Amino acid sequence: MTHRMTIAGLQRELPLCPLNEDLYIAAFVIFGDPELTTAAAGELLRRAPEYDYLISAEAKGIPLVHEMARLAGNQKYFLARKSPKLYMTGVMEVTVRSITTAKEQKLYLDKADAALMRGKRILLVDDVISTGESLRAVEALVKEAGGIVCGRMAILAEGDAQKREDLIYLEKLPLFNGKGEVIG
């Protein structure tokens, strides 16, 4: 089962994946799709509020935040990592449980990046927002760093995220029942 949709002017077939026997989601993965990544990044930038830096959570948001930064003039951007790295000068951490992750995870921010964020307008970006838990975790890191969240953006909004007035997104991604029929 798949769901066909148009995103940033491009048609894609998204495979349906079960969360349980009654609820399916359409899998949206921009890895390996530079055409869609570039188109979506450009469209999001046209809608973006003024910002100083971009940030996304590892991993599916990486191509998007990278392309947005590239299109905006090769700007520096930040990543909330899934594990601390040896090169980090120290870390801040927050716990998150995403709809697409089987277990609780932590996200980490390098304290050197946090220092650059202090007092700056930070735009949060991700590929898909569903429950908003990953976005909430990244926002907590930005606030702890002293950054000012100036906006929240995604390519797609799924489920209740479609009702959020604080979220800028390109398209609505429906939810599906076990027969592949749209339920919301």
Side-chain angles (χ1 to χ4, degrees), residues 91-163:
V91 295
M92 299 165 42
E93 72 176 62
V94 66
T95 301
V96 62
R97 184 173 185 94
S98 169
I99 192 171
T100 56
T101 306
K103 59 183 170 53
E104 190 174 86
Q105 292 184 321
K106 293 190 181 296
L107 290 177
Y108 301 88
L109 182 65
D110 188 333
K111 287 190 176 179
D113 290 343
L116 293 173
M117 284 186 197
R118 189 168 318 282
K120 300 294 186 186
R121 297 168 298 180
I122 310 298
L123 182 57
L124 313 178
V125 297
D126 208 347
D127 61 334
V128 179
I129 305 296
S130 296
T131 63
E133 284 303 305
S134 296
L135 192 70
R136 179 205 55 78
V138 173
E139 186 166 348
L141 285 171
V142 169
K143 287 180 178 178
E144 186 177 334
I148 302 157
V149 174
C150 66
R152 297 155 191 85
M153 301 189 90
I155 299 171
L156 304 175
E158 183 177 58
D160 288 344
Q162 298 170 11
K163 301 173 191 167

Side-chain angles (χ1 to χ4, degrees), residues 27-101:
F28 177 70
V29 181
I30 58 176
F31 288 136
D33 193 342
E35 179 186 36
L36 181 57
T37 303
T38 299
E43 187 57 37
L44 286 171
L45 282 171
R46 282 187 277 287
R47 300 177 188 195
E50 288 197 30
Y51 66 91
D52 297 305
Y53 294 111
L54 301 164
I55 188 170
S56 188
E58 190 177 40
K60 285 175 37 185
I62 292 173
L64 178 62
V65 73
H66 179 86
E67 187 63 9
M68 288 176 74
R70 189 189 70 77
L71 290 174
N74 292 318
Q75 297 174 334
K76 180 170 180 57
Y77 63 89
F78 304 110
L79 293 175
R81 306 296 303 257
K82 289 183 178 178
S83 62
K85 304 299 178 191
L86 292 175
Y87 60 79
M88 291 179 160
T89 59
V91 295
M92 299 165 42
E93 72 176 62
V94 66
T95 301
V96 62
R97 184 173 185 94
S98 169
I99 192 171
T100 56
T101 306

Side-chain angles (χ1 to χ4, degrees), residues 1 15-27 97-102 130-131 158-159 173-178 183:
M1 292 186 293
L16 301 187
C17 303
L19 289 183
N20 58 51
E21 65 182 49
D22 298 321
L23 181 62
Y24 281 62
I25 60 172
R97 184 173 185 94
S98 169
I99 192 171
T100 56
T101 306
S130 296
T131 63
E158 183 177 58
L173 182 61
L175 298 171
F176 304 87
N177 64 20
I183 58 173

